[in-house]
Amino acid sequence: MSKQRTSDKEREAAYKRDSKLVREVLSGNTSAFAELMSLYKKRVEALGLSFFKNPADTEDFAQDVFLKAFTKLDTFRGESLFSTWLTRMAYNTAINAVNRRAQFLSIADENLLPDNGLTPEEKELRLLTMETVRESLKELPEKYKIVLDLYFFYDNSYSEISEITGLAENTVKSHIFRAKKLLREKIVAKGLVENEKL
């Protein structure tokens, strides 16, 4: 399950871009917020779909999240990436809306992953792999599903997941380690791959 992580350089560029946009919004330039929305709309919608499982509720959810983000933008201190701050707000909004984590369904939306010039065969292999992972994720305990989803499919770091979920960073690391082990066992048990290949 290797995937290319976002580089420090890319994170720094996103931090600078987003911080500039936030400053512009706080100075009265509301079109800068529209730019922030366009940058993170898919991310918020994908997270919403994980919880709400239908496009109409997901669209309402995304609107709620961006409205909250706009009204609370002055609380963004820049101690983390804007995407982390927004994802935490979206996560908390979803948790409050469904009132129980048991309703969370990982979707691991392949549309959020970069294409990186894959051949048609590589794209098909990635889709099949993601479907296998998706099906296996459904069988994991809730606490593991959420952290794995944030780690692998939303490209969040341990510290970002800690900030989003409110779990201690060491707990996040432990959950991800245990979840990967359980996931590996489930995939091997299904006969989808041999143990040595994982």
Side-chain angles (χ1 to χ4, degrees):
M1 272 178 66
S2 68
K3 94 175 195 88
Q4 188 176 4
R5 307 288 304 158
T6 304
S7 73
D8 289 342
K9 191 179 247 185
E10 291 169 318
R11 285 182 190 275
E12 182 64 27
Y15 178 82
K16 287 179 181 177
R17 176 200 64 217
D18 294 351
S19 294
K20 180 179 181 267
L21 289 170
V22 167
R23 284 191 305 275
E24 287 181 23
V25 174
L26 293 174
S27 296
N29 180 0
T30 55
S31 64
F33 191 75
E35 192 172 339
L36 282 170
M37 283 180 61
S38 70
L39 288 168
Y40 296 110
K41 187 173 192 251
K42 275 188 172 184
R43 179 186 195 103
V44 170
E45 287 176 344
L47 184 66
L49 199 54
S50 296
F51 284 92
F52 303 107
K53 304 166 192 70
N54 73 66
D57 288 345
T58 298
E59 189 174 318
D60 289 344
F61 162 77
Q63 288 177 359
D64 287 347
V65 169
F66 283 114
L67 180 61
K68 281 183 184 180
F70 184 76
T71 59
K72 296 182 180 210
L73 196 58
D74 61 337
T75 66
F76 176 67
R77 297 184 306 264
E79 295 170 355
S80 64
L81 293 172
F82 177 79
S83 61
T84 303
W85 180 81
L86 182 64
T87 303
R88 180 181 179 108
M89 184 175 290
Y91 174 83
N92 288 336
T93 301
I95 288 292
N96 290 337
V98 296
N99 239 356
R100 304 205 85 226
R101 289 184 185 187
Q103 294 181 20
F104 178 85
L105 171 66
S106 172
I107 58 163
D109 187 351
E110 60 272 359
N111 295 321
L112 292 177
L113 297 176
D115 187 317
N116 293 338
L118 297 175
T119 66
E121 293 83 15
E122 290 169 329
K123 287 179 186 177
E124 183 64 24
L125 181 60
R126 181 170 75 177
L127 277 173
L128 291 171
T129 302
M130 290 184 71
E131 186 57 37
T132 300
V133 170
R134 238 184 258 131
E135 290 303 312
S136 298
L137 274 172
K138 289 178 185 176
E139 300 170 17
L140 291 179
E142 209 57 42
K143 62 184 179 182
Y144 297 153
K145 258 193 276 193
I146 293 168
V147 294
L148 268 188
D149 217 41
L150 290 170
Y151 183 75
F152 285 114
F153 302 111
Y154 294 93
D155 198 31
N156 290 112
S157 67
Y158 295 133
S159 62
E160 290 169 330
I161 295 169
S162 174
E163 188 173 331
I164 290 165
T165 61
L167 297 171
E169 192 170 331
N170 283 338
T171 302
V172 169
K173 289 177 185 177
S174 173
H175 282 3
I176 290 172
F177 175 80
R178 290 182 182 139
K180 286 196 283 189
K181 184 177 180 203
L182 283 171
L183 192 59
R184 183 180 306 113
E185 290 169 3
K186 290 184 181 302
I187 291 172
V188 169
K190 289 180 180 183
L192 299 171
V193 292
E194 297 170 20
N195 196 21
E196 306 82 49
K197 296 193 178 184
L198 282 178

